[in-house]
Every structure is written in C-alpha cells, then in structure tokens.
Amino acid sequence: MPSQHTVAQGESIASIAEDSGHFAGTLWEHPENAALRELRQDPRILLAGDVVFIPDLREKSVAADTGRVHRFRRRGVPGVFRVRVAVDGQPLRNEPYVLEVDGVVRGSGLTDASANVQEFIPTGAAAGVLKLERLGLSLPLRFGELDPVTVESGVRQRLRNLGFAAGTPEEVAESLRSLQRRFNLPETGEPDDATRRKLVKLHEAR
C-alpha cells in the first residue's frame, strides 16, 4: 500500500528510498512529491516533519538460465560523502586521513589537490569521525542533519560550518553582515534570498 512518511532528523530521500526498497529518483520525481520537490529543491536536504509519499513497489522479473551464476547490481547505493578539509581557513592538501562511519572504517588515503575527501558511505549512515592522524585531529561528523537554508536552523548550520559565529541572534546577524560585506551584498544582517544563495554556494564549495 502507498504510504506517507514523516521525515525524521537525519533522513534524506536516499535513506528513505533505501529503507522502502525504491530508487531515490523514484521518490523524488514522483508527482505526489512535487510540492516537496519545489519547496526543498535538493533531495539531500529535508526538514524534520516534511512528508514524503512512498508508492507501492513495482515487481520486476528477469529471465535467467538455471545452473549458471548470475550477478545483479542494485543501483543508487551507496551514497557519496564529500568534504573539504581546512584548518584556520587553510586547505589541507595531500593530508593523510581515515574515515570511520558508525564505527567502521569506510575509507583512507590522502586529501586531493582541492583538499577534498570523497568516499562511499551507507545511505543511512548516522555519524562518523574523520581522523587526521598526522595532526592529531579527530573531526566528528553527523550525516543528513543539514536543514534547508530557507529555515533559520539551516542558515545557522551553514554559517557555523563556514567558520562564522552563529550561537546567539546577535552573532548570526553580525556574521551575516560580515558575509554580505565580503561579497558586496546589502549589509542587512538578514538572510535575504541573495544571502541564502551565497551561503549555499559557499557551503557546497567547501
């Protein structure tokens, strides 16, 4: 039976799709989810309390000879984690790292020429640690908990991740003015549309 799923903190379209047996694109592009798609724009970033329509599963059969080995691959799994690593604003290129996800090592190597780490992780991953052992740093990670930039918590999260103070309303306003000043935007201290777009662009480029 079709159902309505209420989003919990940390869930995304990909994790909901995996739990329900669908492809992420099947849920995101379903006509019943058009309003959610228009509201959130990004299937990776939902807000707790959003509602996702989950249709019935469609059966698919494939002809295969008996007595032989056949390999089937499920598409859309796992997810991809990517982060740019910097300390005091300085990107760490060619830095050794180990990525643990929910207590399991999921990747290791060197940050690339842009100081990025990119690894495949389970779509339902909750938490992890990025270890920069040469520097003695262990950076805690929470997956899927970034709120949309259209809500106050999403603005605060992006400011904090970019290194701005975002604890009190006064700090948020001052941080927004600083960002607006840096990029020649009107210094209102308010998250207007242009400032939200700049926050998203900067955050995704980390």
Side-chain angles (χ1 to χ4, degrees):
M1 292 287 292
S3 62
Q4 302 279 347
H5 175 82
T6 301
V7 176
Q9 185 68 38
E11 289 188 315
S12 65
I13 288 294
S15 64
I16 296 168
E18 182 177 22
D19 289 342
S20 62
H22 288 284
F23 296 137
T26 299
L27 298 189
W28 188 240
E29 299 298 333
H30 197 283
E32 292 286 344
N33 290 320
L36 176 66
R37 194 165 60 248
E38 176 67 22
L39 178 64
R40 297 302 177 216
Q41 300 293 313
D42 190 332
R44 302 168 299 173
I45 304 176
L46 303 180
L47 187 66
D50 284 344
V51 176
V52 178
F53 175 79
I54 300 177
D56 283 333
L57 287 171
R58 294 176 295 177
E59 292 187 3
K60 181 178 180 178
S61 60
V62 178
D65 296 331
T66 59
R68 300 180 62 184
V69 175
H70 303 276
R71 179 177 295 175
F72 299 93
R73 178 175 295 174
R74 183 180 175 185
R75 293 184 296 167
V77 178
V80 177
F81 166 74
R82 183 174 68 86
V83 66
R84 185 169 182 263
V85 184
V87 173
D88 295 330
Q90 298 301 312
L92 298 180
R93 302 178 178 89
N94 299 312
E95 185 67 35
Y97 72 86
V98 175
L99 176 66
E100 291 185 4
V101 177
D102 293 332
V104 178
V105 173
R106 292 290 180 179
S108 62
L110 300 176
T111 57
D112 65 18
S114 299
N116 291 324
V117 169
Q118 181 168 304
E119 297 286 354
F120 291 108
I121 65 171
T123 54
V129 179
L130 182 63
K131 296 182 177 180
L132 306 174
E133 296 179 341
R134 187 182 68 85
L135 301 176
L137 295 177
S138 292
L139 308 177
L141 304 168
R142 299 291 300 177
F143 302 113
E145 295 194 0
L146 185 66
D147 290 338
V149 75
T150 51
V151 298
E152 181 186 3
S153 58
V155 171
R156 288 176 180 268
Q157 288 169 334
R158 286 168 176 80
L159 284 172
R160 193 175 297 116
N161 289 347
L162 290 168
F164 291 94
T168 66
E170 292 76 17
E171 286 177 336
V172 170
E174 182 54 38
S175 292
L176 287 174
R177 279 192 288 270
S178 176
L179 183 145
Q180 290 162 341
R181 189 180 311 119
R182 183 184 303 177
F183 293 99
N184 298 315
L185 298 172
E187 293 182 36
T188 62
E190 297 292 331
D192 53 44
D193 288 344
T195 302
R196 293 179 195 272
R197 288 194 295 271
K198 178 58 69 174
L199 268 175
V200 169
K201 184 176 180 179
L202 291 171
H203 194 268
E204 291 188 349
R206 289 188 309 141

